[in-house]
Amino acid sequence: MNQPPRILMILTNARRDCAGLALDMMVRSGSLPLFDRVVFLLNGVSEQHMRFVDHFIAAHPGVPFDKVLGPGTRPEGIAWMQNECIRRYPGGLYMKIDEDVFVPRGWAQRMVEAYEANRHRDNLALITPLIPNNAFGLHQLCTVFYPDLLAEYRAIYRREPDPERTGSTWCSPSVAAWATRKFLDLDPANERHRAVLAASGQDRYLAFQRSFSIGCIAYDYRHVERMGGVPKTDEPGWCEWVEQQGQTHVVDRSQIVLHYSFFVQQDWLDRSSLLEDIKATNLNVRLGPLARWVPRARRISQQLPRLIAQRLKR
């Protein structure tokens, strides 16, 4: 089979702290040279955020970049930007990450391997790695690979892990922090997990139809053509179409990727040190007290007016 052009989409809006870490880890992963085009999906970004993106592009002159400017709406704007990218670069293998997704070394190569191993499927939809802060990913990790984590989860939360896309994992920042910290150091965590996978006798790839959170995915042009483009509702419409049409997703259970926060988790997590801990651990940088507390204090201060207004309404 011919090799389709590889297109990476990086969705970003306003979180320079998250996007900066995501891009640093993308560079560290060695993934950028594998792509024929790296496209920033810029959904209603400020001038300051645009300068941040342009600075990154200028710092990597050997990478072929492009930018798609969106209207700042969601989900319609996110769907439109992906469709515009596909229109510009038809016939490709597309990978998309959100601005708060952090990848390990060799991420893109493993995504390509997963696609090549499953492209024979005439109903192939989305390919995803395992993500701890993702209901489906955490359910797989706890119930298939790590019985000790399952026991700990039950002891802490007094319930079973919920695989539903918008279930207890999606809405719980406590679960997000707990799950992410279990795999915080991504490269050793992936090396250890591949040994666990090999010892388990489980297949690397698992086909499924369940709705899931699509912050780190790969899909090809054939899938887009069958679907008639990315639906206006993006994630829910996409997953609903796959289920209704008997298509199949594939999870590559040999790779773990971190995701920081769903919007319903964000305020709680932003008051924590999780983002700084991900950065210090994976980029091997020593963050002094100021480097740890100033960004966290800034995030908290941004919440205060809204929190005070909500309290006064009660």
Side-chain angles (χ1 to χ4, degrees), residues 91-112:
L93 169 61
Y94 309 98
M95 299 185 203
K96 193 243 354 171
I97 68 163
D98 292 349
E99 65 184 353
D100 63 344
V101 167
F102 313 120
V103 302
R105 296 183 193 276
W107 166 75
Q109 183 58 49
R110 284 193 168 270
M111 293 290 276
V112 171

Side-chain angles (χ1 to χ4, degrees), residues 13-18 74 99-100 133 169-174 176-177 259-275 296 299-300 302-303 306-307:
N13 169 247
R15 289 297 299 257
R16 181 176 173 179
D17 52 354
C18 290
R74 53 184 308 155
E99 65 184 353
D100 63 344
N133 186 22
T169 300
W170 178 79
C171 65
S172 173
S174 174
H259 166 235
Y260 177 53
S261 172
F262 297 109
F263 74 93
V264 291
Q265 304 169 340
Q266 186 170 300
D267 281 355
W268 191 97
L269 290 173
D270 276 351
R271 294 192 292 269
S272 78
S273 64
L274 182 61
L275 200 57
R296 188 176 175 187
R299 295 194 300 266
I300 293 172
Q302 291 170 346
Q303 295 181 23
R306 176 165 41 82
L307 295 175

Side-chain angles (χ1 to χ4, degrees), residues 193-257:
H193 177 68
R194 284 192 270 278
V196 170
L197 173 62
S200 72
Q202 294 284 333
D203 291 335
R204 173 176 173 178
Y205 306 114
L206 176 69
F208 69 102
Q209 288 188 324
R210 177 182 295 278
S211 176
F212 74 105
S213 299
I214 60 172
C216 180
I217 54 174
Y219 56 94
D220 66 12
Y221 193 68
R222 298 174 304 161
H223 170 62
V224 177
E225 286 188 307
R226 289 194 299 271
M227 192 166 53
V230 176
K232 290 183 178 180
T233 55
D234 193 39
E235 180 175 287
W238 206 331
C239 290
E240 182 180 1
W241 184 88
V242 167
E243 291 186 82
Q244 290 177 346
Q245 299 300 318
Q247 306 293 291
T248 184
H249 305 303
V250 171
V251 57
D252 178 1
R253 298 190 292 182
S254 76
Q255 179 161 225
I256 296 173
V257 168

Side-chain angles (χ1 to χ4, degrees), residues 152-160 172-179:
E152 186 176 339
Y153 183 98
R154 288 167 171 166
I156 295 172
Y157 299 107
R158 305 295 181 183
R159 61 174 179 260
E160 297 295 311
S172 173
S174 174
V175 171
W178 175 83

Side-chain angles (χ1 to χ4, degrees), residues 21-154:
L21 178 54
L23 291 173
D24 285 345
M25 292 191 67
M26 181 64 71
V27 171
R28 190 198 68 135
S29 77
S31 294
L32 290 180
L34 272 70
F35 291 99
D36 298 289
R37 187 71 60 173
V38 177
V39 183
F40 281 97
L41 307 183
L42 303 168
N43 197 22
V45 302
S46 66
E47 291 183 6
Q48 182 182 24
H49 201 71
M50 184 69 79
R51 287 194 296 270
F52 157 73
V53 171
D54 287 340
H55 178 77
F56 179 83
I57 290 173
H60 298 85
V63 178
F65 287 103
D66 196 359
K67 297 186 288 187
V68 175
L69 307 184
T73 59
R74 53 184 308 155
E76 293 87 352
I78 296 174
W80 179 86
M81 288 188 297
Q82 288 185 81
N83 284 324
E84 172 61 16
C85 179
I86 294 164
R87 185 193 67 78
R88 293 184 191 181
Y89 304 103
L93 169 61
Y94 309 98
M95 299 185 203
K96 193 243 354 171
I97 68 163
D98 292 349
E99 65 184 353
D100 63 344
V101 167
F102 313 120
V103 302
R105 296 183 193 276
W107 166 75
Q109 183 58 49
R110 284 193 168 270
M111 293 290 276
V112 171
E113 288 174 6
Y115 173 68
E116 292 297 333
N118 289 278
R119 67 184 297 188
H120 64 279
R121 300 175 184 269
D122 59 9
N123 63 348
L124 179 62
L126 304 179
I127 296 171
T128 182
L130 290 171
I131 304 176
N133 186 22
N134 177 306
F136 180 75
L138 182 59
H139 187 265
Q140 281 283 304
L141 289 166
C142 285
T143 63
V144 178
F145 297 108
Y146 297 98
D148 55 330
L149 291 188
L150 179 59
E152 186 176 339
Y153 183 98
R154 288 167 171 166

